Amino acid sequence: MSTTTETPPARMNSTQAWVTYLSKVELPVLANTLRRIDELTDSSNSTVNELANVILNDAQLTSQVLRLSNTVFYNQTRTQVSTVSRAITLIGFDSVKSMAISSLLVDTLLEKNDRPHLLRCLARAIHAAVQARCLLPKRNEQALEEVFIGALLMNIGELAFWSCETEQATELETLLEQGEPPVEAQKKVLHATFTEITRGLVEAWSLGPFIKEVVSPGKANSVASSLVRHSVEMARLSENGWSGREMDEVLEKIGRDIGENPATVRDQLKVNAGEAAKVAVSLGIPQVTELMPGNQSEGKTAKVEAPPVDSRLQLAILQDLTRSLTEKPDINEVCQLVIEGIHRAVGMQRVVLLMGDRSGTRLVPRKLGGKGTDGWREQLAINRDGTGPLGRLLPHSASAIYLPDKRPEGVPYDRWLTRVPALVGTLKANGRLVGLFYADNAANDYQPSEEQLISFNHLVQNAQLCITLLATKN
């Protein structure tokens, strides 16, 4: 999540101002990389190498593409893929290109922010993209990936807007929460609509003729673009279930696009929604699956279960900790291993170790792990005596699951602290509180499992043992 303390941007008062701001200030790397990938067409070996190089230049993107390459959605042969070049050969140029675009989009936007509106928009985009790809009657690879990316980027203006921490985003969020109609609220706060911003970005970022056709006003010029539009509309409506007048109407439209009756379409959509959830998990955003149909009941979001602990990784980290403590206890090395263990093995998105400051009255960040924690370094502080908005995070026992009150007091620099379940564990020296490990999952606010708490506690106890050993030697 973006937590910078830089001077906020000036207010944007036109479509062009928003397009320029998003392209030049907030998302220039995304804009340039999307343009480079989209310009590549499978016409020669050199182009294939160029696509591979774009992906390989980004370690995170490489990891995401390889993970997607080994999913049934893309790789129905289930042949193991371990290199980008192998993925292009086995699965196809256009498929890998679409994986790269979707991975890049998700990672870039969530790196900047994780506000609920962005997560909901990403859930809709992924759901619509998977539906369009699964429903398309013509099954050649290029057409499949064209409709997938078309649906994914059809609301790029809205996605880009919600990824940015601006005063106008907060104002629009407030108006929407108060029940203001979306388009009227957009015009009032942005002096533009998301649709207009999307068209501007598609042009400015050179996202190609098909996406330009999809977002242009007027009647769709092809079955593919019509299917994309209807899939995006269906993804939005499906959040309220698979029935209703509006849903029935869009089912008829999709039926005309693909030559099926509405009842058959409805059955297909339900199956495809399950595929969309799997793709979201493969893209590294399991938290949006709870926003997709099939994961909701009686109008309420179904409870999301905590992921299982990676026992093998945890064992390897515990072995490293034991070795470190046996050879020469080093509190910095031990705590860094604990942070990595909580983040990677226990499965917590954001982790911080806080330790006493010079005044002796507060705990402040010493080590950080995971996305969205950079801003904590300068701003996060917990009073040792338990007072203040974050005092409630101090556990009564050594390690515990923190559960928020119904309306907890928060802090201005982070929308999740105290408001989502977390794991907390204390460090003590001679009976005095000297440190605190804190870990949460930000927007993915499921309650950590007992298994996660036990694993978390094992790791924290190693840090406690190190402190005890050092205190004994002194």
Side-chain angles (χ1 to χ4, degrees):
M1 185 178 79
S2 177
T3 52
T4 71
T5 55
E6 297 174 3
T7 304
R11 293 182 70 85
M12 269 61 70
N13 293 310
S14 68
T15 300
Q16 188 54 52
W18 278 110
V19 170
T20 301
Y21 173 70
L22 294 170
S23 303
K24 305 292 186 183
V25 179
E26 291 283 359
L27 299 165
V29 175
L30 176 64
N32 290 332
T33 310
L34 283 179
R35 186 183 294 113
R36 283 174 61 202
I37 294 174
D38 195 72
E39 286 171 352
L40 298 175
T41 55
D42 189 9
S43 57
S44 67
N45 286 332
S46 62
T47 308
V48 171
N49 291 337
E50 285 172 14
L51 175 59
N53 288 336
V54 169
I55 296 169
L56 291 169
N57 279 336
D58 185 326
Q60 174 72 7
L61 184 57
T62 302
S63 174
Q64 291 278 51
V65 165
L66 290 177
R67 183 159 62 228
L68 286 166
S69 297
N70 287 293
T71 63
V72 177
F73 183 71
Y74 281 106
N75 182 355
Q76 295 185 354
T77 68
R78 305 197 180 196
T79 304
Q80 186 67 26
V81 175
S82 55
T83 66
V84 172
S85 56
R86 175 64 173 153
I88 295 173
T89 302
L90 180 68
I91 300 169
F93 180 91
D94 288 293
S95 292
V96 174
K97 180 175 165 181
S98 102
M99 290 181 214
I101 289 174
S102 51
S103 299
L104 183 70
L105 182 75
V106 167
D107 285 348
T108 304
L109 297 182
L110 285 182
E111 183 72 40
K112 292 179 64 60
N113 212 313
D114 59 359
R115 68 167 74 234
H117 282 286
L118 176 59
L119 293 173
R120 184 167 293 282
C121 287
L122 278 172
R124 288 175 182 170
I126 293 166
H127 183 202
V130 171
Q131 291 284 6
R133 188 181 190 273
C134 290
L135 291 169
L136 187 70
K138 295 180 181 178
R139 306 295 291 179
N140 72 74
E141 182 203 345
Q142 184 176 1
L144 289 174
E145 304 315 327
E146 197 170 56
V147 295
F148 182 93
I149 295 303
L152 188 74
L153 300 181
M154 184 173 164
N155 289 314
I156 184 64
E158 185 174 8
L159 286 164
F161 173 82
W162 287 124
S163 75
C164 304
E165 199 65 58
T166 64
E167 185 179 289
Q168 282 162 283
T170 304
E171 289 176 18
L172 182 58
E173 199 170 41
T174 301
L175 277 185
L176 293 174
E177 287 171 358
Q178 293 171 351
E180 183 94 10
V183 174
E184 284 79 352
Q186 291 162 32
K187 290 178 179 177
K188 188 179 294 184
V189 177
L190 280 62
H191 302 279
T193 65
F194 287 147
T195 300
E196 292 165 346
I197 295 171
T198 289
R199 289 171 183 156
L201 290 179
V202 168
E203 190 72 43
W205 295 5
S206 303
L207 295 182
F210 181 72
I211 297 176
K212 189 172 181 179
E213 177 189 333
V214 167
V215 304
S216 64
K219 189 177 179 180
N221 293 331
S222 65
V223 169
S225 58
S226 177
L227 178 61
V228 166
R229 291 182 184 184
H230 295 148
S231 295
V232 169
E233 184 183 359
M234 178 279 305
R236 177 181 61 82
L237 294 172
S238 68
E239 291 167 11
N240 296 315
W242 296 109
S243 57
R245 182 182 57 81
E246 288 183 298
M247 177 59 80
D248 290 344
E249 289 175 359
V250 81
L251 289 178
E252 287 186 14
K253 294 174 183 176
I254 292 174
R256 288 195 291 271
D257 290 333
I258 66 174
E260 294 283 0
N261 65 68
T264 301
V265 171
R266 198 190 311 268
D267 290 340
Q268 285 184 252
L269 293 178
K270 291 178 181 179
V271 173
N272 298 343
E275 284 298 317
K278 293 176 185 176
V279 171
V281 172
S282 298
L283 282 166
I285 46 172
Q287 62 267 43
V288 307
T289 60
E290 62 184 287
L291 302 173
M292 293 179 175
N295 294 303
Q296 299 167 345
S297 59
E298 296 180 4
K300 294 184 178 180
T301 302
K303 182 180 179 182
V304 178
E305 298 296 329
V309 169
D310 187 333
S311 301
R312 293 177 63 182
L313 179 57
Q314 181 189 355
L315 178 60
I317 290 172
L318 286 171
Q319 289 172 339
D320 287 343
L321 283 166
T322 302
R323 193 178 303 113
S324 177
L325 289 169
T326 303
E327 293 173 354
K328 184 180 179 182
D330 181 314
I331 189 64
N332 285 316
E333 180 183 348
V334 167
C335 287
Q336 184 60 47
L337 281 168
V338 172
I339 287 281
E340 290 184 25
I342 295 169
H343 180 50
R344 296 172 56 215
V346 180
M348 302 302 289
Q349 183 177 321
R350 311 193 300 177
V351 189
V352 61
L353 166 63
L354 301 107
M355 298 196 78
D357 67 357
R358 291 179 180 178
S359 72
T361 61
R362 302 187 310 164
L363 299 174
V364 296
R366 178 71 64 86
K367 291 187 179 295
L368 302 162
K371 291 182 181 179
T373 59
D374 290 343
W376 289 357
R377 195 176 299 280
E378 301 299 327
Q379 302 183 77
L380 178 56
I382 299 178
N383 294 336
R384 259 204 179 106
D385 62 6
T387 60
L390 299 183
R392 71 188 68 202
L393 296 177
L394 295 175
H396 297 296
S397 55
S399 294
I401 297 175
Y402 162 80
L403 296 175
D405 298 332
K406 288 185 177 179
R407 296 184 64 84
E409 181 182 358
V411 289
Y413 54 86
D414 189 287
R415 71 177 69 247
W416 308 116
L417 281 173
T418 76
R419 293 189 168 115
V420 295
L423 292 172
V424 286
T426 57
L427 298 176
K428 293 186 177 181
N430 300 319
R432 183 170 180 266
L433 178 67
V434 296
L436 175 76
F437 281 99
Y438 169 90
D440 70 23
N441 284 291
N444 192 10
D445 63 351
Y446 53 73
Q447 180 175 328
S449 65
E450 285 299 319
E451 182 190 23
Q452 285 182 307
L453 175 61
I454 292 169
S455 299
F456 173 82
N457 188 49
H458 282 164
L459 291 163
V460 172
Q461 286 308 307
N462 277 270
Q464 179 61 63
L465 180 58
C466 184
I467 288 177
T468 303
L469 288 171
L470 291 172
T472 304
K473 288 186 176 184
N474 293 333

